[in-house]
């Protein structure tokens, strides 16, 4: 029997009845766009994230793109983001003609290093690459926004990042694509993914902790005006009525069908987050004694939803050996992410030098992921551990 990397089939068995009846109702209603389940899931997820508003959209990438559009990000603007993340985080800035300024990560959490972020902002303000590596650019850049990423399901270091952003007047857009359901205790209150920044974004790509059955995403905000702006951008910059356009926008809506799927999955979501913690505890027991592996660690007061279970090998060669062993044993594995964004061919025009963000580059050379989902059993986890132990 083959081991799935992410087991959506077992999950489907749990929600099949409700998904089936929900989809049947949508199909019979014909309300495929803006059906009542869209507003329902927006309300439910805003309550969950602890924000006043949520707006469904077509993907996590669209959520990020529309957020930057709402802040009128464009040419000459610097948008700070970690280099060790999924392409979409930086892509949206570049698509709008802005310049991504890459920041290094913390070697333990893999999330953006707040001190390095602060240096990067000062470097842009002073236009001085001796303070922090800067991308090649024409003219002086204006620091405009930061996109902290809650990588692999763990909230970014908002304790460190938010004061820097505030001190320098930057918009904060949380990229919570991998972290819906994650929490942190801050100043004695529990704060949730989706609740950071002026706008937070998540993705419902099927493999994310809260996934739908296609593409989908959501923006979260407390700000009434930003919500209105985002809603306009979501349908071609719509004004007072459908055929008045007051700004440029996109087609960025969430399908009713996906909203219906999400409502069904929300009923079991907290239980799945709990199951993920059990899986992670078992991995810690099974893998803790294997020499040369650095297991993921979650900061004090934080709960990760473990979108991925990422391990560090000792070296790139060691990782290759481990991946080969797993492959021989029929255990699927993956590398998130083999190349930091500042080294991606598409950003060659930014002329970042190899070695300039050393932690991102080191981690990209050693990291790998093993199966992670709420329905992993002890027996399968033992097989995975045996493959890794060799
Ligand atoms: C998946 C992901 C996105 C993009 O989400 P899509 O719904 O696939 O467009 C953005 N940022 C991060 C960190 C992601 O993992």
């Amino acid at each position: 029997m083959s081991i799935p990397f992410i087991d959506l089939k077992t999950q489907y068995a749990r929600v099949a009845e409700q998904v089936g009846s929900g989809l049947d109702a949508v199909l019979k209603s014909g309300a495929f766009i803006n059906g009542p389940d869209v507003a329902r899931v927006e309300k439910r997820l805003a309550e969950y994230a602890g924000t006043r508003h949520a707006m469904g959209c077509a993907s996590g990438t669209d959520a990020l793109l529309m957020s930057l559009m709402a802040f009128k990000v464009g040419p000459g603007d610097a948008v700070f983001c970690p280099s060790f993340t999924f392409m979409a985080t930086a892509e949206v800035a570049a698509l709008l003609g802005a310049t991504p300024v890459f920041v290094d990560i913390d070697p333990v959490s893999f999330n953006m290093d707040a001190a390095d972020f602060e240096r990067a902002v000062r470097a842009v303000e002073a236009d001085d690459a001796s303070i922090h590596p800067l991308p090649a650019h024409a003219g002086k850049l204006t620091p405009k926004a930061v996109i902290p990423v809650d990588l692999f399901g763990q909230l970014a270091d908002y304790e460190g990042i938010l004061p820097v952003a505030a001190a320098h007047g930057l918009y904060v857009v949380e990229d919570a694509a991998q972290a819906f359901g994650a929490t942190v205790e801050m100043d004695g209150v529990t704060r949730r993914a989706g609740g950071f920044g002026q706008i937070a974004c998540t993705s419902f790509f099927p493999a994310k902790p809260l996934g739908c059955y296609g593409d989908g995403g959501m923006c979260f905000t407390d700000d009434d005006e930003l919500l209105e702006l985002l809603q306009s951008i979501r349908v071609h910059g719509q004004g007072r009525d459908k055929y008045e356009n007051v700004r440029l926008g996109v087609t960025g809506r969430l399908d009713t069908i996906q909203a219906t799927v999400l409502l069904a999955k929300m009923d079991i979501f907290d239980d799945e987050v709990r199951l993920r913690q059990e899986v992670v505890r078992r991995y810690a027991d099974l893998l803790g004694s294997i020499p040369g592996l650095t297991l993921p660690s979650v900061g004090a007061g934080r709960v990760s939803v473990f979108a991925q279970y990422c391990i560090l090998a000792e070296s790139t060669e060691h990782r290759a050996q481990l991946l080969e062993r797993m492959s021989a044993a029929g255990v699927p594995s993956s590398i998130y992410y083999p190349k930091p964004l500042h080294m991606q061919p598409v950003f060659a025009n930014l002329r970042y030098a190899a070695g300039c963000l050393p932690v991102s580059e080191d981690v990209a050379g050693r990291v790998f992921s093993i199966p992670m989902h709420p329905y992993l059993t002890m027996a399968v986890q033992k097989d995975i551990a045996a493959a890794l132990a060799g």
Side-chain angles (χ1 to χ4, degrees), residues 1 3 44 172 175 230 241 249 285-286 294 305 324 335 364:
M1 203 188 76
I3 300 172
R44 186 150 178 194
V172 179
D175 183 345
L230 287 167
D241 68 69
D285 289 344
L286 291 165
T294 306
V305 290
E324 207 174 289
I335 298 179

Side-chain angles (χ1 to χ4, degrees), residues 58-62 64 85-86 88-89 149-151 175 177-178 202-205 208 215-217 337:
S59 69
T61 305
D62 270 2
L64 290 167
T85 176
F86 182 61
T89 312
V149 179
D150 306 326
L151 202 69
D175 183 345
Q178 302 182 1
T202 199
S203 163
F204 306 127
F205 182 78
K208 308 283 181 177
D215 280 308
Y337 296 91

Side-chain angles (χ1 to χ4, degrees), residues 65 68-69 72-79 90-101 135-142 144 347 349-350:
L65 181 70
L68 295 190
M69 288 171 79
K72 297 194 170 58
V73 167
D77 290 334
V79 176
E91 185 179 34
V92 290
L95 274 173
L96 295 171
T99 304
V101 176
H137 58 278
K140 201 167 177 297
L141 296 172
T142 307
K144 185 80 171 238
F347 291 130
N349 62 314
L350 301 178

